[in-house]
């Protein structure tokens, strides 16, 4: 489906792991998007250099250009992330830093952003959720606070996310809420 009137949501996944639970959350969100909403997973965050102001000058690294364009072209961003050592994984924080510059005009500035995630500990990555939201907000994004899914992985009991209807429904709702928030901004 490629309708220019569709709401386009780009998903950034905070885990590079092949069997990432967070990537499966992102995929389920994409597969269950409501009509009129396209959800695409971004691949390649690991190809970004570490943020460094010395290299944030023309010509900027091609992977940085690709990420910035992908976010700029999207109507909204969904982040699906685990928690690493009580906070946001470095690969995701690095992406946010690149998206936050130029100061005040970064690709994430003014974008509606929802944060979801899964982690092993009992609160499912709540610290990472909160830190990601704070960082995105400082970077210029508009965090949609009404989206709050931090799933303790144990609740899946080894089942694929697709087999857990309440999680599928939470992801469907997250995408719907994010798309509606985007529509409010652009109306
Ligand atoms: C370096 C590292 C640090 C971690 N720290 C936490 C943590 O602070 N809290 C937590 O709930 N899980 C932590 N975990 C476990 C992750 O939640 C778990 O590996 C999860 O499956 C990662 O998400 P993924 O399946 O999308 O890769 C950590 C894992 C790694 C590799």
């Amino acid at each position: 489906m490629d309708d220019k009137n569709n709401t386009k949501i780009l998903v950034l996944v905070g885990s590079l792991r092949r069997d990432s639970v967070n990537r499966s959350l992102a995929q389920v969100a994409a597969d269950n998007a409501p009509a009129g909403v396209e959800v695409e997973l971004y691949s390649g965050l690991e190809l970004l250099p570490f943020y460094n102001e010395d290299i944030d000058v023309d010509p900027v690294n091609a992977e940085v250009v690709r990420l910035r364009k992908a976010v700029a072209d999207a109507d909204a961003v969904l982040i699906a992330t685990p928690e690493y050592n009580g906070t946001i994984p470095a690969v995701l924080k690095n992406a946010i830093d690149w998206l936050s510059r130029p100061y005040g005009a970064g690709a994430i500035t003014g974008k509606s952003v929802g944060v979801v995630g899964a982690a092993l500990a009992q609160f499912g990555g709540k610290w990472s959720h909160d830190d990601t939201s704070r960082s995105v907000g400082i970077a210029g994004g508009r965090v949609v606070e009404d989206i709050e899914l931090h799933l303790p992985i144990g609740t899946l009991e080894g089942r694929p996310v697709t087999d857990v209807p309440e999680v599928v429904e939470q992801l469907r709702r997250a995408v719907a809420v994010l798309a509606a928030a985007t529509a409010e901004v652009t109306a």
Side-chain angles (χ1 to χ4, degrees):
M1 181 168 51
D2 185 18
D3 183 326
K4 64 181 169 45
N5 295 319
N6 282 351
T7 300
K8 295 186 175 57
I9 296 178
L10 186 75
V11 192
L12 305 181
V13 178
S15 169
L16 303 176
R17 197 166 71 87
R18 190 181 48 240
D19 296 328
S20 163
V21 175
N22 285 280
R23 178 163 289 100
S24 55
L25 293 185
Q27 191 60 55
V28 168
D31 293 344
N32 291 275
V37 183
E38 287 173 44
V39 179
E40 182 192 335
L41 276 60
Y42 189 85
S43 304
L45 290 184
E46 73 277 18
L47 303 175
L48 293 167
F50 278 123
Y51 186 84
N52 175 348
E53 288 188 84
D54 293 341
I55 60 170
D56 196 1
V57 290
D58 284 337
V60 179
N61 175 281
E63 286 299 322
V64 173
V65 172
R66 187 170 73 88
L67 174 69
R68 286 175 169 169
K69 182 172 186 322
V71 170
D73 289 349
D75 297 302
V77 174
L78 182 67
I79 293 176
T81 187
E83 179 171 279
Y84 276 3
N85 296 305
T87 186
I88 175 173
V91 71
L92 175 60
K93 180 59 167 54
N94 189 43
I96 294 170
D97 290 343
W98 281 112
L99 293 169
S100 73
R101 290 297 188 271
Y103 180 72
I108 207 162
T109 304
K111 267 321 149 191
S112 296
V113 181
V115 183
V116 298
L120 275 180
Q122 61 172 328
F123 300 116
K126 166 84 172 124
W127 289 332
S128 178
H129 183 111
D130 291 349
D131 289 355
T132 301
S133 298
R134 186 174 63 243
S135 181
V136 163
I138 291 171
R142 296 179 59 261
V143 177
V144 180
E145 305 282 353
D146 195 27
I147 297 170
E148 185 149 1
L149 171 59
H150 33 91
L151 181 77
I153 287 174
T155 62
L156 295 175
E157 296 173 331
R159 297 167 290 176
V161 177
T162 44
D163 285 3
V164 188
E166 57 272 26
V167 178
V168 175
E169 173 53 23
Q170 283 176 291
L171 290 165
R172 193 206 57 75
R173 179 185 174 279
V175 170
V177 168
L178 185 53
T182 305
E184 278 168 28
V185 174
T186 52

